[in-house]
Amino acid sequence: MNANTRILTLCASAISAAMIFMYATSPANSKVKPAGFNRNIELLQNLTIDREIELGNDGYYIAGKSGERLFIGTRRRPFMLLEYNQNTNEIKHEINISLSGVDSIRDLANFKVAIDSPYFFISNGSMPDILRGKIDDWRAVHFLRDSGHFFVDAVPISPNSLILRSLSAKTRMFALGKRTLVDTPYFDVKHDILERQIDGVVDVHGTISYDKKTHRAAYVYAYRNQFIVMDSNLNVLLRPHTIDTFSRAHIKIEKIESKGESIVASPPTTINSVIRTAYGVVFVQSNLLSNNEKPELYESSSVIDKYDIGTGKYLSSFYVPNYKKERASDFIILPNKVIALYQNHLITFKTYQATTLKRSTTIKTEVDSLSSQTTKSDI
């Protein structure tokens, strides 16, 4: 096992440990304590379920959308997508992706699809390889022949460019880079975007999202209260803080001298789990209870904090209800809908066009009786 693979394995282990930790310490399994901050909560009254679709197995993620079509991927079957039509509220059919010019495949579960209409990308950072194809043709060919840049995330920002979270050969830490087909250099690594606190590997773990409206990317740290806003060339524009108080990652790393390796000694405390950008707003799914929330309301929902992508200013927060006692694992914000993924269900919630996009509006949720208990002094 080479050094790159060892570090990628360490990062994967840390993520898995964090997921176990999140479950073990989730509101459903333990007493949640306020984390020392307040939220501006949109009281969500009866955000009604528009459609419930059973997906079968778990491990699903939102790959992206094209017009009214939403594409759902799964780690269990990485070359298959489900197409959900927003107009009919139905899963239309299964899509099978074919790979052209690929001689061998390894680490099957590391393949992931991302939609950037009219194209789709399918990547595997441990091979490493990135392929691209046209939606409705669903045949993927090599996008760029890779020169050994291992990565864990690949987010398209245009038909010819992606943002990668990659292992830097220079620093042995994770960094963000731009991979492009049309400009030089073809892979431009920015070593100074992700800021090391402990090891520069596990402590900088996070997720990327790109907002096509503003042409800005956002990266949120999983284990600390900060996100980063960048332009399409990965120039840092803002380093705002999320509203919680966890300014440092709570991670314990131990070295195994005999093997020259490091391991995560205890699961990290995950602060932020999912990020989405849309309509000039950064949506962050937080795992923390604020001082002014009703614990029972928090426990029955996933809380989404909203920030202005242009200023980094915190706007407000809203809830996505649990489904069959499960929290949402992924979500996407549309002008008149919130679509959430659960363990093996896709749920569409009706809302209003401006509801989740502006601070002054409110949405209603299923947890009416709990919301009605929250007084003005709680907000």
Side-chain angles (χ1 to χ4, degrees), residues 84-197:
Y84 168 75
N85 188 290
Q86 298 173 47
N87 290 330
T88 63
N89 277 343
E90 298 286 345
I91 296 289
K92 185 177 178 182
H93 58 248
E94 290 187 2
I95 296 165
N96 292 307
I97 296 172
S98 63
L99 308 185
S100 179
V102 178
D103 298 325
S104 63
I105 291 174
R106 67 173 182 269
D107 299 324
L108 195 64
N110 287 343
F111 278 96
K112 190 172 183 180
V113 180
I115 304 296
D116 187 65
S117 183
Y119 294 95
F120 73 94
F121 294 82
I122 182 165
S123 61
N124 184 328
S126 63
M127 286 180 62
D129 207 349
I130 302 172
L131 300 97
R132 185 185 70 174
K134 278 283 192 77
I135 292 174
D136 294 327
D137 177 30
W138 301 112
R139 182 177 63 90
V141 299
H142 286 285
F143 172 63
L144 275 176
R145 293 288 181 179
D146 204 277
S147 56
H149 296 289
F150 295 88
F151 59 90
V152 293
D153 289 311
V155 176
I157 61 175
S158 77
N160 296 308
S161 302
L162 302 96
I163 297 174
L164 304 185
R165 183 161 63 97
S166 178
L167 181 64
S168 170
K170 176 181 177 181
T171 65
R172 312 303 302 162
M173 297 185 292
F174 279 105
L176 298 185
K178 182 178 179 180
R179 194 77 191 275
T180 181
L181 188 64
V182 294
D183 301 321
T184 54
Y186 291 119
F187 187 43
D188 185 17
V189 181
K190 305 280 189 176
H191 297 286
D192 57 348
I193 296 177
L194 303 182
E195 296 180 328
R196 171 182 175 175
Q197 289 186 340

Side-chain angles (χ1 to χ4, degrees), residues 219-237:
Y219 183 92
V220 66
Y221 289 111
Y223 309 132
R224 67 181 92 161
N225 66 343
Q226 190 177 53
F227 64 98
I228 306 163
V229 178
M230 300 156 282
D231 65 18
S232 59
N233 289 317
L234 299 188
N235 297 307
V236 175
L237 305 175

Side-chain angles (χ1 to χ4, degrees), residues 38-39 41 43 291-294 371-379:
N38 291 329
R39 282 191 167 97
I41 303 166
L43 289 181
N291 291 346
N292 61 327
E293 287 179 271
K294 297 285 186 182
S371 296
S372 64
Q373 299 171 21
T374 307
T375 63
K376 290 183 179 180
S377 61
D378 295 318
I379 304 303

